[in-house]
Amino acid sequence: MKNDFKKVEITWQDINASDGGWITKEEMDNHDVAVCKDICYIYRETDDKIFTFSSINSNGNDSYEFGFATAFPKGCIKSIREL
């Protein structure tokens, strides 16, 4: 099976909520978003989203199944590095 999809590392920001309990001013001052990384293949891209997958299965005759599909809003992406 030939894989023509670009392999990348995407660094992105996610919501980071506290556990709901009380936190100190110092903890509040240091509270920030979570910074995450995904290693994946780009399936397609639109003006505002990138669609990726991490696994691919060939069923023969150019028929494929994809695993771990993710849709990223471009606004949360910090960087994309080709691997």
Side-chain angles (χ1 to χ4, degrees):
M1 169 178 53
K2 184 178 177 190
N3 183 348
D4 292 327
F5 298 98
K6 184 169 35 172
K7 186 175 183 179
V8 296
E9 176 187 76
I10 297 179
T11 303
W12 56 284
Q13 294 179 319
D14 198 6
I15 296 168
N16 185 12
S18 70
D19 63 8
W22 294 101
I23 63 174
T24 66
K25 180 183 181 316
E26 181 180 343
E27 291 169 320
M28 188 65 190
D29 289 342
N30 291 315
H31 190 74
D32 205 349
V33 297
V35 177
C36 309
K37 291 184 184 272
D38 278 39
I39 305 295
C40 51
Y41 296 92
I42 294 178
Y43 180 74
R44 70 182 169 96
E45 187 172 343
T46 65
D47 289 341
D48 59 345
K49 296 179 197 89
I50 295 179
F51 298 86
T52 70
F53 64 92
S54 295
S55 300
I56 188 169
N57 175 40
S58 174
N59 293 324
N61 300 326
D62 291 325
S63 175
Y64 299 100
E65 294 177 331
F66 300 92
F68 302 99
T70 304
F72 289 94
K74 284 187 176 177
C76 74
I77 294 175
K78 298 296 288 176
S79 66
I80 299 175
R81 181 173 64 95
E82 192 168 346
L83 301 175

